[in-house]
Amino acid sequence: MELRRRHVAAAAVAAGESLKIQKHAGDSSIFPLYLTNAVFFGAFFSVAYFLLHRWREKIRTSTPLHVITADESAAIALLVASAVYLFRFFGIGLSRASVDDDLSDEEIIAKEDGRTPGPCPAALSEETAVIPSPIPAKVLFMTDSDSLSTEDEEIIQAVVSGSVPSYSLESKLGDCRRAAVVRREAVQRLTGRSLEGLPVGGFDYESILGQCCEMPIGFVQIPVGVAGPLLLDGREYIVPMATTEGCLVASTNRGCKAIYASGGATSVLMRDGMTRAPVVRFATAKRAAQLKFYLEDPLNFESIAVVFNKSSRFARLQNIQPNIAGKNLYIRFRCSTGDAMGMNMVSKGVQNVLDFLQSDFPDMEVIGISGNFCSDKKAAAVNWIEGRGKSVVCEAIIKEEVIKKVLKTSVESLVELNVLKNLTGSAIAGALGGFNAHASNIVSAIYLATGQDPAQNVESSHCITMMEPVNNGKDLHISVTMPSIEVGTVGGGTQLASQSACLNLLGVKGASKETPGANARLLAAIVAGSVLAGELSLMSAIAAGQLVKSHMKYNRSSRNITNVVS
C-alpha cells in the first residue's frame, strides 16, 4: 500500500530525516551503522584539528590564509562532507525551514484545499516522501490456516461434520485464539467462500470470552479519527470517533473550532437513570389494577426500593411507573447505575422486586423481564418524553465573526434553515425524537470508539436542535436537547483495549473513585457537546451550499483500488 507522510512539526521532520538516514545507511553500506558513524566522527574532528593547526602556523608565519595547498583543500572537502553527514544523521535541516508557522488559519486551509484530490487530501505531502515497502496481504490477514496441526485438522473436520459444536471450541481447546482460527477455517469449508481480508491475528480473544462476542472468527477494522479540542464546561477534550464516513470527523472538528473560538459550550445533566419494564399478567383487569395502585402508593415505595437496591451497591431505585393494558401490567423501573450503562444491573433489581411481589400477588404471571415499555434500542415516545440513561442539554453562543469566517454563513440563514429543516421538515416526516440534522452520526461514531452498545444509538440519538439569534441578532444561540444518552465507562465493550484507550483519551476510563457515576455522566456530556459541534457544522455547510461539494471532494477516492490492494 502506498503511503505518504505530511510534515507536521520540526521535531517530526528531524525524526523522519534521522530514520531515513539510518535506514539508508543500514541498507546501502557494507559497514555497520556504528562503524560508519565512528569513521565520520573521527574524520570530522581530525580534519578540524589539522586545519586549525595549519591556520595557526600561517598566522604565526604571516602566510596569507587564502593560499591553500592541495592537502588543505582535501581536508576542507572532507570536513564539509563529514559535517553534512553528521548534520543529517542528527536530523538537523540545513535548507528547509517551516513556512506554515507564518500562515494564518485561512491561508493554511486554502493550502490544504489546493492539494491533489484523493481519499484524504490533507494528508498528502507536497514533497517526495518515503514510501515504505508494501506489507503483503498474507501477513496483514494471516489466519494460520497454513500452519494448522493434524489435531486442528481433525477438529475442523469434526466441526464441519457437526459432531463438535462450533460454540464449544473455546472450552474444548482451552485457547481462544486457536478456537477462532479453527472456527474460521471450518466456516470457509462449510460455505465454500473465502474470508481473506477479515483479520484474525493480533486480537485478544480472551478479553471477549463470555462478555462481548460469541463464536468469533476475526475482527473488523474501523478507523478512528479525532475531533477537537472541544471546549466544554471550561475543559478541553479531544473526541475519538470511529467511522467509515468521509467528512464526518472533519465536519465535527470544524464545529469544535467554531465553539472554541466563541468561548466554549456548557452542558446540564437533567436526569440520570436506566429503565427496565417487565410485563406481568393477571386473570382479570381488576386484579392487575390492584397491583398498579399498590406500586403507585408512596408508602410501599421504600420497601420495594430496599429489595431492588440489594442487587448492586450502585443500583438505587428512583421511581416506578406502571401502565395497564387490559389484564396486563407494564411496570417501568428507573434507577441510577453508577458508571455502568446499567442494563444488567437494573434487570437484576427488577427480578428481585418481582420475586418479592409474588408473595403478595401469587396469581401474578411474569410474562417477560422486558415488556418494551423500557424502551431499549427502539424509537419510543416514552424515552423522548421521560428520558432514559442520561438526559443532557448542551448550548453555546456562536459569535457573528466566527459564523462568517469559520462557518462561511450567517445567523439569519442558520436560524431559517433550522426552523424549516430540523423542526418543520421533521414534523412533516412524523419524526420521533429526530428534530436534528445528523445527531446519530456523531453518537454512533463515539459509541463505536468508546465501547458502547451501538444498537442503543437508536434512542441515544433522540435530539432536538434549537437555534435563535441573540445580542440584537448578531450572534447565534444553539442548543441540543438529548433525553436518552445511554453510556457507561465500565462493563461490556469498554474493557477492550482499543475502546479503553479512547475512554482514557477523554479522561473517563473506568469507574470514578471520587463520585460514583461521574465518569459516565461526563461521557454523556461530551457526546452532547460533540453533537452540538456536528449540528453546527453540517447546518452551516447546508446553508452555505457546501455539503455536496465537500462530500464529492473528501468522500470520493480517486485512487486506483487495484493498485492499493496489490
Side-chain angles (χ1 to χ4, degrees), residues 372-422:
N372 275 9
F373 185 40
C374 312
S375 175
D376 187 40
K377 302 173 185 176
K378 289 166 283 292
V382 68
N383 292 337
W384 177 238
I385 298 170
E386 298 291 339
R388 188 171 194 256
K390 278 70 174 171
S391 299
V392 182
V393 176
C394 190
E395 64 180 345
I397 295 179
I398 311 301
K399 297 177 181 178
E400 181 183 27
E401 58 269 23
V402 174
I403 293 176
K404 290 181 179 179
K405 293 182 179 180
V406 178
L407 302 177
K408 312 300 182 184
T409 185
S410 65
V411 174
E412 296 80 5
S413 298
L414 284 172
V415 172
E416 181 182 31
L417 178 63
N418 188 67
V419 171
L420 295 179
K421 170 182 167 62
N422 288 341

Side-chain angles (χ1 to χ4, degrees), residues 294 299-308 356:
Y294 175 87
L299 298 177
N300 298 323
F301 180 81
E302 185 175 352
S303 58
I304 295 175
V306 170
V307 174
F308 185 99
F356 171 76

Side-chain angles (χ1 to χ4, degrees), residues 303-563:
S303 58
I304 295 175
V306 170
V307 174
F308 185 99
N309 296 345
K310 288 180 180 179
S311 62
S312 169
R313 61 194 178 101
F314 297 110
R316 293 296 178 268
L317 184 63
Q318 296 174 347
N319 60 61
I320 304 173
Q321 182 182 359
N323 270 24
I324 194 169
K327 59 180 183 178
N328 306 301
L329 187 65
Y330 297 80
I331 314 169
R332 193 171 194 255
F333 293 82
R334 179 196 295 274
C335 81
S336 60
T337 57
D339 284 301
M341 184 271 289
M343 286 300 303
N344 293 333
M345 189 184 301
V346 68
S347 295
K348 288 190 293 184
V350 167
Q351 188 61 57
N352 288 348
V353 173
L354 292 176
D355 295 340
F356 171 76
L357 293 174
Q358 204 83 53
S359 58
D360 290 332
F361 296 87
D363 53 336
M364 179 183 71
E365 179 185 3
V366 179
I367 303 300
I369 191 69
S370 175
N372 275 9
F373 185 40
C374 312
S375 175
D376 187 40
K377 302 173 185 176
K378 289 166 283 292
V382 68
N383 292 337
W384 177 238
I385 298 170
E386 298 291 339
R388 188 171 194 256
K390 278 70 174 171
S391 299
V392 182
V393 176
C394 190
E395 64 180 345
I397 295 179
I398 311 301
K399 297 177 181 178
E400 181 183 27
E401 58 269 23
V402 174
I403 293 176
K404 290 181 179 179
K405 293 182 179 180
V406 178
L407 302 177
K408 312 300 182 184
T409 185
S410 65
V411 174
E412 296 80 5
S413 298
L414 284 172
V415 172
E416 181 182 31
L417 178 63
N418 188 67
V419 171
L420 295 179
K421 170 182 167 62
N422 288 341
L423 304 183
T424 308
S426 297
I428 291 176
L432 180 59
F435 297 90
N436 58 81
H438 70 149
S440 61
N441 252 338
I442 291 88
V443 172
S444 296
I446 299 177
Y447 273 28
L448 289 172
T450 58
Q452 310 304 313
D453 189 337
Q456 289 185 323
N457 163 72
V458 176
E459 63 268 37
S460 295
S461 296
H462 282 345
C463 171
I464 182 168
T465 301
M466 303 292 292
M467 296 184 188
E468 60 182 88
V470 293
N471 300 330
N472 296 322
K474 292 184 177 181
D475 302 331
L476 175 76
H477 181 276
I478 178 173
S479 67
V480 292
T481 304
M482 306 180 69
S484 306
I485 302 178
E486 299 164 351
V487 292
T489 58
V490 296
T494 66
Q495 299 177 93
L496 301 181
S498 300
Q499 290 82 346
S500 180
C502 290
L503 288 170
N504 188 56
L505 176 63
L506 292 171
V508 295
K509 177 182 175 181
S512 172
K513 297 180 180 179
E514 294 79 14
T515 307
N519 282 353
R521 290 190 288 270
L522 177 55
L523 178 57
I526 293 172
V527 170
S530 302
V531 168
L532 184 73
E535 290 288 282
L536 179 61
S537 183
L538 177 58
M539 292 293 286
S540 298
I542 296 175
Q546 299 171 339
L547 180 64
V548 175
K549 180 181 177 181
S550 62
H551 272 275
M552 292 302 294
K553 182 175 182 180
Y554 294 107
N555 206 23
R556 296 280 181 166
S557 175
S558 60
R559 273 182 165 181
N560 187 332
I561 300 300
T562 58
N563 293 339

Side-chain angles (χ1 to χ4, degrees), residues 16 18 29 33 47 50 57 70 79 83 117 183 217 232 256 261 277 280 283 330 337 354 371 399 401 417 494 530 542:
S18 178
S29 177
L33 183 60
V47 171
F50 170 76
E57 288 294 324
L79 178 70
R183 182 181 294 112
I217 60 171
L232 178 66
C256 291
V280 299
Y330 297 80
T337 57
L354 292 176
K399 297 177 181 178
E401 58 269 23
L417 178 63
T494 66
S530 302
I542 296 175

